[in-house]
Amino acid sequence: MLSAVRSYLLPIIKLYLLGFKVLLVQLFSRPFRLPVMPRQDGKVAIVTGGGRGIGFEVVRHMARLGAHVIIGGRDEQEGLAAVRRICEEYKEAKAGVMLVPEGRTEDGFEQHFGINYLGHFLLTWLLLDTLKDSGKCGHFSRVVNVSSSAHCIGEIRLNDLNSCQCYSAHAAYCRSKLAQLLFSSHLHQELQRGGFPLSSCAVDPGMVDTALYRHLWTPLCLAQSAIARLLFKTPAEGAATVVYAALSPALEGECGGGYWANGRREMTTPPTFDPQLQLSLWETSFQLLGLQ
């Protein structure tokens, strides 16, 4: 009983302490201003969750630069079939979730893990050959995962990725964000080893005034609504590093990859660099998705 209470409460305490720390750093740091980006005429971009928040700002900026943007989005409990539909449309999945109540996608996956991680894993894998063929020297294709500083307190349990043993929305969210970084890093290394004109990176947009926080406890949700407009980044500010990672000529070729926050490449926690953990999660994800 005590162990279950600890497993439930510790992630909550850790996540809110981390959020307070991030908010302080953000408050006293100058927001990253996106430099002038080159035109993207003839380029195609797929943006998940592009209907609102950070995703909408990314879509708007890319469209202004001339890119053809495909917006992917789905209901929180919809399964991976939505991801496959996006891929089919592209060739001839909703934005991330945070602290949602315990539930499953229609495929049976815990919602944080299924939406934040597995959906993007599947989308990337199904489009991987197309992305490789689309890139060329000096104009790499790019995969950008929107992660979070919450990854640094996440823990990957390969025998309980669906949080069946003891569900904590806070722990599940952090786990899904760490999984994104492990996938992003492993994919980039594989692409480099294969010499493909495609890079993979992860971005932390910071604490942004979006609907992502709608599942906070009611008192915290009310407090968050009151201070968000004063202390949080705007969606446009949160989107700046995402757009930079996706389009900047400075991140071309070998300069791509890594973990980015506020316009800079940042270090991450030791588990992110664990090659065995990266490979184990990669192989387990293939098994869960039934991929070859």
Side-chain angles (χ1 to χ4, degrees), residues 111-247:
Q111 289 190 69
H112 293 92
F113 186 70
I115 294 173
N116 292 350
Y117 171 67
L118 278 181
H120 293 89
F121 184 104
L122 178 61
L123 178 63
T124 303
W125 180 255
L126 293 178
L127 292 174
L128 198 57
D129 288 340
T130 302
L131 291 169
K132 290 176 181 177
D133 293 340
S134 299
K136 56 185 178 181
C137 183
H139 294 283
F140 275 35
S141 297
R142 302 184 191 183
V143 176
V144 180
N145 280 285
V146 179
S147 187
S148 164
S149 58
H151 79 273
C152 69
I153 54 175
E155 181 181 356
I156 297 295
R157 297 179 180 177
L158 294 170
N159 63 344
D160 189 30
L161 291 172
N162 269 323
S163 304
C164 295
Q165 296 177 6
C166 179
Y167 183 76
S168 163
H170 298 75
Y173 174 72
C174 296
R175 181 181 300 120
S176 71
K177 291 303 176 179
L178 176 56
Q180 281 185 314
L181 256 72
L182 289 165
F183 163 62
S184 179
S185 178
H186 185 75
L187 176 61
H188 187 71
Q189 293 173 44
E190 289 293 307
L191 294 170
Q192 283 190 312
R193 281 192 285 266
F196 297 107
L198 172 61
S199 63
S200 169
C201 73
V203 172
D204 171 17
M207 297 187 73
V208 184
D209 186 13
T210 70
L212 185 66
Y213 301 93
R214 67 189 181 278
H215 293 294
L216 288 171
W217 291 342
T218 301
L220 291 174
C221 191
L222 293 174
Q224 184 270 333
S225 299
I227 67 174
R229 293 185 180 180
L230 295 175
L231 303 180
F232 283 27
K233 291 182 179 179
T234 66
E237 290 172 335
T241 302
V242 180
V243 175
Y244 182 75
L247 305 181

Side-chain angles (χ1 to χ4, degrees), residues 2 15 28 33 51 59 61-62 77 108 120 131 135 153 156 167 175 177 179 190 195 236 240 249 251 260 277 288:
L2 183 60
L15 186 57
F28 293 101
R33 292 188 178 277
V59 168
H61 202 100
M62 288 183 167
Q77 294 187 348
H120 293 89
L131 291 169
I153 54 175
I156 297 295
Y167 183 76
R175 181 181 300 120
K177 291 303 176 179
E190 289 293 307
L251 273 64
W260 292 78
L277 184 57
L288 291 173

